Amino acid sequence: MIKQIEPSDVKSVIYLGERFYKEGNLPGSFVPEIAEANWVKFITAGFGKIFAYYSNDVPVGAIGIFVANDVNDGELIAEEA
């Protein structure tokens, strides 16, 4: 089942981002508390969404998206995270 995540549910899926960073050996760092706070802000403000895939009522995958103005030229962009 795919579910759109509400601000109150962000905490239940944020661990997926941490796993993604570790498994992908991505540069930088992933700080769960900061990621959670930012996604709650994005979703609450109406310019971000997270969709999670659940298997047996456990989130096993997710994608976050947000729409904002590019910091360099002001053009509207969409990003996935």
Side-chain angles (χ1 to χ4, degrees), residues 1-6 9-10 13-18 20 30 39 42-43 47-54 59-66 78-81:
M1 168 181 66
I2 296 175
K3 176 182 171 185
Q4 184 174 325
I5 301 301
E6 299 297 326
D9 296 326
V10 171
V13 298
I14 208 70
Y15 79 94
L16 294 167
E18 189 170 23
F20 182 78
F30 185 89
W39 279 107
F42 298 165
I43 295 168
F47 63 85
K49 294 187 183 294
I50 297 175
F51 296 93
Y53 174 73
Y54 286 76
V60 295
I63 188 165
I65 57 171
F66 60 91
E79 289 282 334
E80 60 85 18

Side-chain angles (χ1 to χ4, degrees), residues 14-15 17-18 21-22 28-39:
I14 208 70
Y15 79 94
E18 189 170 23
Y21 260 74
K22 286 180 183 174
S29 60
F30 185 89
V31 181
E33 298 81 11
I34 293 174
E36 178 184 351
N38 283 329
W39 279 107

